[in-house]
Amino acid sequence: MRRGIWAALTGIVAAATVLASAELVALFVGAESSPLFAVGSLVIDLAPPGVKELTISLFGTGDKAALLTILGVVVAVGAALAGWLEYRRRPVGTVILVVFSAIAVLAVTTRQGASGISAVPTVVGMLVGVVMLNALQTRLRRWVQREDGARARAASPVASAPLAGSGLESDLAPEAGTPALTPAPRPDGTRVIRTGPAALERRQFLTWMIVAAAASAIVGAGARVMNAGAAVVTAARNALVLPAASTPAAALPAGTDLGITNLSPVVTPAADFYRIDTALQVPQLNPDTWSLTITGMVENEIEISFADLLALPLVENYTTLTCVSNEVGGDLIGNALWLGYPIRDLLARAKPTAGADMVLSRSSDGFTAGTPLEVLQDTTRDSLLAVGMNGEPLPVEHGFPVRMVVPGLYGYVSATKWVVEMKVTTFAADMGYWTPRGWTALGPIKTSSRIDTPRQGGSLAAGTIPIAGVAWAQHTGVQGVEVQIDGGDWQQATLAEAISADTWRQWVLQWDAPSGDHTIAVRATDDGGYTQTSDQAPPAPDGSTGWHTIKVSVN
Ligand SMILES: Nc1nc2c(c(=O)[nH]1)N[C@H]1C(S)=C(S)[C@@H](COP(=O)(O)O)O[C@H]1N2
Ligand SMILES: [Mo]
């Protein structure tokens, strides 16, 4: 009987490890992939109307809590049963555990917006749970075996013999002639020996149980709280309706997008936008509690809430963000329509004091960027405290609810996501996150260009082939793009219409491709008259240089 209870408890502990590991993995896969609430929602969806009303009338408005409690009880009972059955007849319990997990996988993957990877947390949880159940049961069996052996010996010391196949037994079994340890009988008449191999196995089993249960409780609860936080933020984001811009962006001029296959679209969808940050966990900021402070060398310290920010006259503009780590030809660049409030207007309210030359912006997770104050105050460019990207609230991984967007500077010195503080200071006194790590304090974007199509190593059919790509020189503007084939003369590419100097520009050159192997290079010239150098420089410390060059073969 007592063993039955222990066996049932192994099932419950194994189930706890399933849930805890699933929650942990869901932290990385996405809060909506946590099986706990997915199963709850599935139950709600599947419940016949009568049942729904019954639970609501039984539990009143607490019906969600009631549902989760019932679900918890069902899982606990199922798990206990699995543990008990596994003990009676291997692997019945394991099968039950797998079936329960399969139901959870079904629940998770059929949720709205779920994809294949939504199943990952539950599947990982199931695997951990199966291993755990088997480990616990093995320990339980060993303990029981030793205890039975010891009991048998205690009952008839002379007849006691080591259990077959176990080496341990013989050393610890009482030697012939010595009296066996005979403990006082317990009230129920049994005698239990608390020393020797049985006690050792018992202790091992209990240690496993306690450690597994405690670890599951701590990890599971911690991860659940974080996942719940993420779910709250996702819900807040979904519910958010951004105000229209007081100064909307002009409609995209015709001809900004050449519409060539494999050429990057002139506006990058948020889902395809490159993502760079130091955040292991995407910060989950609730807009209701978000605020930004402007501190440091200012006459007026300012604190602004999200609602305050949305109430200000917002502007909209296209800006192409670029990462300093972008290699020549790399894809750490994207162009989006940003909605936000000009940082210079906030700074004007804060009134920086004399001598200040930098704004150190800080994110909720401690990342910092040092931006020249004069760039943020520049009336010719809209450096924004952005709340919207391509007409939607910022995606969480792109800085929800608020980030900075500064035309002309690499992201590491300007584009702080999840921004919560702007400290007006000096370059002498402060440094952004990447500066002590080998990157320059100032990070203007270098004029650059990239071939999008054809692809490096491409094999093409002879004929007229568009060579096309993008070129950028943010806040300066792209004046021209030239293409060189097989080291020949530089040929002027056709430029798409520019959105503005702050955005990249598409270009194309129609090429009459003769068969053979060819090398194609590109270089841009900006409105300042600078033409890209052929000198190859790596990204560190202040951005890569060199011509993007590809090889193709034409048949
Ligand atoms: N909080 C925070 N903001 C950050 C970073 C970061 O690591 N943490 N990285 C910066 C860098 S290096 C770049 S290139 C841009 C990238 O922005 P994106 O991920 O929206 O494309 O974000 C910037 N803002
Ligand atoms: Mo970056």
Side-chain angles (χ1 to χ4, degrees), residues 273-278 323 363 367 398 403 411 415 417-418:
F273 209 94
Y274 81 99
R275 176 188 160 200
I276 293 285
D277 51 63
T278 57
C323 184
S363 70
F367 168 87
H398 290 293
R403 74 172 303 168
K417 304 190 273 190
W418 315 290

Side-chain angles (χ1 to χ4, degrees), residues 155-213:
S156 57
V158 187
S160 84
L163 281 180
S166 67
L168 250 183
E169 228 64 28
S170 47
D171 330 330
L172 295 156
E175 283 171 29
T178 55
L181 288 164
T182 321
R186 300 197 310 181
D188 63 359
T190 60
R191 292 158 196 259
V192 178
I193 295 175
R194 295 264 176 230
T195 58
L200 208 94
E201 291 296 347
R202 174 175 178 277
R203 208 175 312 131
Q204 274 220 17
F205 168 69
L206 290 179
T207 307
W208 269 76
M209 288 285 278
I210 290 167
V211 169

Side-chain angles (χ1 to χ4, degrees), residues 68-294:
L68 286 174
T69 309
I70 293 170
L71 209 64
V73 171
V74 169
V75 167
V77 169
L81 199 72
W84 183 68
L85 286 172
E86 179 78 6
Y87 184 69
R88 309 286 321 254
R89 180 181 273 260
R90 236 168 189 166
V92 175
T94 305
V95 170
I96 293 179
L97 205 145
V98 170
V99 168
F100 263 70
S101 305
I103 294 172
V105 167
L106 207 75
V108 172
T109 51
T110 52
R111 288 280 83 202
Q112 183 144 34
S115 68
I117 65 159
S118 308
V120 171
T122 312
V123 171
V124 170
M126 178 192 75
L127 294 176
V128 173
V130 166
V131 169
M132 183 57 74
L133 181 64
N134 282 279
L136 293 175
Q137 293 256 336
T138 304
R139 294 261 133 38
L140 176 61
R141 277 166 213 274
R142 278 199 210 153
W143 166 33
V144 165
Q145 237 174 36
R146 297 294 149 88
E147 198 173 80
D148 286 352
R151 255 192 215 151
R153 286 192 299 279
S156 57
V158 187
S160 84
L163 281 180
S166 67
L168 250 183
E169 228 64 28
S170 47
D171 330 330
L172 295 156
E175 283 171 29
T178 55
L181 288 164
T182 321
R186 300 197 310 181
D188 63 359
T190 60
R191 292 158 196 259
V192 178
I193 295 175
R194 295 264 176 230
T195 58
L200 208 94
E201 291 296 347
R202 174 175 178 277
R203 208 175 312 131
Q204 274 220 17
F205 168 69
L206 290 179
T207 307
W208 269 76
M209 288 285 278
I210 290 167
V211 169
S216 301
I218 293 166
V219 170
R224 179 87 282 273
V225 166
M226 292 174 81
N227 281 326
V232 166
V233 171
T234 302
R237 181 179 177 277
N238 291 341
L240 181 62
V241 178
L242 292 175
S246 309
T247 315
L252 273 188
T256 52
D257 202 307
L258 300 170
I260 292 168
T261 311
N262 293 331
L263 171 59
S264 305
V266 71
V267 179
T268 314
D272 301 338
F273 209 94
Y274 81 99
R275 176 188 160 200
I276 293 285
D277 51 63
T278 57
L280 203 57
Q281 264 298 139
V282 178
Q284 301 287 339
L285 303 191
N286 189 328
D288 291 341
T289 53
W290 177 90
S291 75
L292 173 90
T293 52
I294 300 188

Side-chain angles (χ1 to χ4, degrees), residues 274 276-277 322-326 332 410-413 434:
Y274 81 99
I276 293 285
D277 51 63
T322 312
C323 184
V324 69
S325 300
N326 199 36
L332 302 181
Y410 286 122
Y412 81 109
V413 292
W434 286 109

Side-chain angles (χ1 to χ4, degrees), residues 307-356:
D308 293 342
L309 183 60
L310 292 192
L312 294 170
L314 303 183
V315 308
E316 224 177 13
N317 67 38
Y318 289 94
T319 293
T320 300
L321 286 190
T322 312
C323 184
V324 69
S325 300
N326 199 36
E327 306 269 356
V328 172
D331 58 5
L332 302 181
I333 179 167
N335 183 44
L337 176 63
W338 307 98
L339 172 73
Y341 187 65
I343 293 171
R344 66 167 173 278
D345 292 342
L346 264 190
L347 286 173
R349 283 213 251 157
K351 294 200 167 70
T353 54

